[in-house]
Amino acid sequence: MKILVPVKRVIDYNVKVRVKADGSGVDLANVKMSMNPFDEISVEEAIRLKEAGTVTEIVAVSIGPQQAQETIRTALAMGADRGILVKTDDLVEPLAVAKILKAIVDEEQPGLVIVGKQAIDDDSNQTGQMLAALLGWSQGTFASRIAIDGETINVTREVDGGLQTVALKMPAIVTTDLRLNEPRYASLPNIMKAKKKPLDTKAPEDYGVDIAPRLKVLETVEPPARQAGVKVDSVAELVDKLKNEAGVL
């Protein structure tokens, strides 16, 4: 079975995000970029399935600028077999990403697509669900455990108040949550080997997808600074402040 794993190039999660002075977006100049953490979990899970003998090939896909090639190479160094870069310097919204991925799925015919539940730059949490809808495939979101049994994949999902296990008929879409696994570090020999693995470069036009934005960002602002706390002398004073100052009661 072949697995398709989309990976996204985002600002590294250790970097403090800076907003542009004009509020038009986030400043990306001289900022460290890396693979979206949820996508690292997706790659790791695909590799574990391959190591278990369930999967024969892992294809890593990224949609973005030329530098996104580095993100694919990271996936290849971790253990993916080949990569596809859909090159564009434009901002690509989740729906356009899902449409491109659908075209790639139609071409590659994988039995499973494992994708991070969301990207930490826009936090949309939409691509996996949109892709499942476009393909008409079953989906298991927020996966904390995956087990393949023949033509069925059992996905344990993290839901409000507990866990839910669903049995999906394959082919299927699975979106990964944090507790699914701990991604491995790529070893130096594997990093060197990744440079020789095949990586194809495409364009959105090759798949007939219009990536023109449907949304308009009106303004981007930093969150307000957290105010210092205060001490109260009694429960009555606490209740009064919660009711009349915080407005939460």
Side-chain angles (χ1 to χ4, degrees):
M1 179 178 69
K2 183 190 297 184
I3 286 186
L4 196 73
V5 185
V7 294
K8 186 176 184 181
R9 179 177 182 266
V10 299
I11 295 178
D12 190 90
Y13 68 92
N14 289 312
V15 174
K16 186 181 185 303
V17 176
R18 302 190 308 269
V19 175
K20 293 180 180 178
D22 60 2
S24 61
V26 173
D27 187 2
L28 299 179
N30 301 315
V31 174
K32 180 183 178 183
M33 308 291 282
S34 61
M35 186 190 299
N36 179 48
F38 290 103
D39 296 340
E40 287 184 339
I41 295 170
S42 301
V43 175
E44 174 65 27
E45 193 63 23
I47 295 168
R48 293 187 184 189
L49 291 172
K50 184 179 180 183
E51 290 172 343
T54 308
V55 172
T56 56
E57 185 181 26
I58 302 169
V59 182
V61 180
S62 191
I63 302 166
Q66 181 66 32
Q67 296 90 325
Q69 190 177 101
E70 300 169 8
T71 307
I72 296 176
R73 291 294 181 194
T74 300
L76 296 176
M78 290 174 67
D81 297 295
R82 58 187 176 91
I84 300 173
L85 171 63
V86 182
K87 183 181 173 183
T88 175
D89 292 322
D90 297 326
L91 178 66
V92 187
E93 294 174 351
L95 179 57
V97 171
K99 288 179 178 179
I100 293 172
L101 291 177
K102 178 188 181 299
I104 295 174
V105 168
D106 290 340
E107 189 176 87
E108 293 287 338
Q109 294 294 305
L112 181 64
V113 177
I114 305 182
V115 58
K117 72 171 185 178
Q118 64 193 74
I120 62 172
D121 54 359
D122 58 16
D123 277 333
S124 291
N125 181 22
Q126 296 174 342
T127 302
Q129 294 89 326
M130 288 177 169
L131 179 58
L134 291 171
L135 289 168
W137 287 11
S138 52
Q139 60 176 304
T141 54
F142 318 135
S144 62
R145 185 174 180 275
I146 295 173
I148 295 179
D149 182 14
E151 295 300 315
T152 301
I153 178 168
N154 296 309
V155 178
T156 300
R157 305 178 59 238
E158 298 199 356
V159 297
D160 293 341
L163 300 174
Q164 177 190 61
T165 301
V166 294
L168 310 177
K169 182 179 179 182
M170 295 172 64
I173 309 292
V174 174
T175 72
T176 59
D177 216 329
L178 283 173
R179 279 156 290 278
L180 179 59
N181 61 51
E182 184 71 29
R184 70 191 66 189
Y185 289 102
S187 65
L188 181 58
N190 286 339
I191 292 173
M192 300 306 292
K193 290 177 183 177
K195 295 180 180 179
K196 298 181 180 179
K197 290 183 178 180
L199 196 163
D200 295 330
T201 301
K202 303 281 188 177
E205 296 77 23
D206 296 334
Y207 298 106
V209 177
D210 176 17
I211 62 171
R214 268 67 174 176
L215 305 174
K216 180 180 179 181
V217 177
L218 300 180
E219 186 180 14
T220 304
V221 297
E222 293 188 12
R226 185 172 180 177
Q227 301 297 317
V230 296
K231 292 184 178 180
V232 295
D233 297 325
S234 66
V235 174
E237 184 182 356
L238 173 62
V239 173
D240 179 69
K241 285 184 176 294
L242 290 175
K243 183 177 181 180
N244 297 314
E245 294 184 20
V248 296
L249 293 178

